[in-house]
Amino acid sequence: TLHGSKSLTLNNGLQDPAAVKQCLAYGFLNRAGIPSPRCSFARVSVNGRVLGIYSNVEPIKKPFLRRVFGEDEGTLYEGSAPAEFRSDLLKNFEKKTHESVLERPELEAVVEALKEPDDKLVAALDRVVDLDSYFRYWASATLLADWDSYDGNQNNFFVYWHPDSQKLSFIPWGID
């Protein structure tokens, strides 16, 4: 364990010749109040062979949940393309906590809220999704041109159901 983490997530930045975009993006998201991982740079070498500079991104696991949400008892899901709030696509949300529980009531609640008519839709979603955080997440993904996120490719993101608020929060991941 190093500073509360048991693992590292290193990204070689192959899509970013400057190797700074990912950390800049997470810094921007954190300052915007969006639940986001921390990011730093690491000079990586293996057996004396220097491999270069990598982004070291905080893993989305229980230590992250405790740091950002103040607890880690809720349900964490990772979305992989195409992860969408439709009954037939909920299988693309992989449970990362409470894996032995087969039910997914948090996700089903969003599916049901989306069935509401336009005049009741926002109120229904507000009961199950942290909309303030989501709107900041959505706007930020647009500003950053993060095409490989929930709002773009329905990929590379997490959602966390907080047991106190009983709402889902979106967490960016894999910013390209």
Side-chain angles (χ1 to χ4, degrees):
T1 301
L2 177 65
H3 299 291
S5 289
K6 294 180 182 177
S7 63
L8 297 172
T9 303
L10 298 172
N11 186 323
N12 65 6
L14 190 59
Q15 295 174 311
D16 177 12
V20 298
K21 292 179 184 176
Q22 188 169 44
C23 285
L24 287 173
Y26 285 130
F28 171 80
L29 294 168
N30 275 298
R31 284 179 173 237
I34 298 162
S36 305
R38 294 176 291 195
C39 186
S40 63
F41 299 102
R43 182 175 181 256
V44 177
S45 61
V46 177
N47 297 328
R49 181 173 169 240
V50 176
L51 300 178
I53 302 296
Y54 283 65
S55 296
N56 173 25
V57 183
E58 180 181 18
I60 309 299
K61 296 185 177 194
K62 287 194 172 202
F64 168 86
L65 298 175
R66 284 190 298 273
R67 180 181 69 78
V68 172
F69 296 103
E71 58 77 46
D72 63 7
E73 296 301 316
T75 307
L76 178 67
Y77 297 90
E78 182 175 5
S80 298
E84 184 57 84
F85 293 98
R86 294 181 4 200
S87 294
D88 61 326
L89 294 178
L90 291 184
K91 65 183 180 283
N92 296 331
F93 286 86
E94 181 184 350
K95 269 192 175 185
K96 296 296 185 175
T97 60
H98 308 294
E99 299 92 343
S100 63
V101 179
L102 298 178
E103 295 80 23
R104 298 162 173 249
E106 309 88 3
L107 303 181
E108 292 289 347
V110 178
V111 171
E112 290 305 310
L114 287 167
K115 293 177 183 177
E116 290 293 326
D118 289 350
D119 62 330
K120 296 180 181 178
L121 181 61
V122 173
L125 283 171
D126 191 44
R127 287 191 289 276
V128 294
V129 174
D130 180 348
L131 287 183
D132 181 53
S133 178
Y134 174 73
F135 290 143
R136 280 185 272 126
Y137 169 82
W138 182 19
S140 297
T142 302
L143 286 170
L144 294 170
D146 185 12
W147 59 270
D148 198 23
S149 64
Y150 173 71
D151 299 314
N153 201 26
Q154 290 86 35
N155 192 37
N156 282 339
F157 69 97
F158 287 83
V159 290
Y160 181 65
W161 181 80
H162 195 289
D164 293 337
S165 69
Q166 304 219 344
K167 293 183 179 188
L168 282 176
S169 292
F170 284 75
I171 303 166
W173 183 250
I175 293 180
D176 294 331

